Amino acid sequence: MAFGRFIGQEVASSTMPVVKLEHVSKQYPTPAEPLVVLRDISLSLEAGQNLAVVGPSGSGKSTLLNILGTLDEPTSGAVEIAGVEPFRLPHAELARFRNRHIGFVFQEHYLLPQLTILENVLVPALAMGRTTAAKTGRAKELLERVGLSARLHHRPAELSGGERQRAAVARALLLQPSLVLADEPTGSLDPTNARAVGQLLLDLQQEEKNVLIVVTHSRELAGRMSQQKVLDNGYLRDEGNGQP
Ligand code: ADP
Ligand code: MG
């Protein structure tokens, strides 16, 4: 079964990078010359590492995160996530791979309004076709970890913005993804909640030893992460030294 193959590859090489980009470029066609958004980006991150990506609006941060999240294909270059070249997978397998191996947190929480918080956190398990007692247990543990154990059976509308985003963090982690991607995860929150959600993402990354990549406008959050890179004219540079 195809799904077993992913797991087999993972087990076979536990020291491989979780994320490997080699010479990734992305351009969008326009009626005039193509719009080049990402140029020759190479990146390698191992389990337990985290990275902040900063850069002005329109610099390609979401484009880069979408490629890392296997939602968008690069124009050229190679992408490997958890030992798999995702863009070589057939469409249905790619969707399964993404659900299993990559957790997403966006600026908006995207919780489903008709489901309870516990059900929302279980959505990635439902997408695999089933929730088990173990998955429900994990969901409850995560919700306790993010401070929402008293809110399991509430609907998103009954929660504050910070609480909803904490539930979205728990949902992203349900299936123990090897890669967690967050695109402006604190961008809609007040400073106090932004701090709390940023710290939670980092603390959980340390506990679960996944790779966390956060796109953020918050210098404060970027400064708490172990690596910072900036998207500048399509190049991903180390912050501060101006070199690619
Ligand atoms: P950021 O997240 O840093 O604000 P984006 O990655 O969203 O930037 O966008 C980078 C550039 O690529 C922008 O100029 C944007 O207009 C352009 N862009 C993004 N998606 C598309 C698309 N599907 N088609 C054409 N241009 C796009
Ligand atoms: Mg963006």
Side-chain angles (χ1 to χ4, degrees), residues 28 35 37 56-63:
Y28 293 109
L35 172 70
V37 179
S57 181
S59 59
K61 304 180 299 298
S62 293
T63 302

Side-chain angles (χ1 to χ4, degrees), residues 62-82:
S62 293
T63 302
L64 176 62
L65 229 59
N66 287 343
I67 290 172
L68 288 163
T70 76
L71 295 163
D72 194 10
E73 237 180 296
T75 310
S76 61
V79 177
E80 211 180 279
I81 308 290

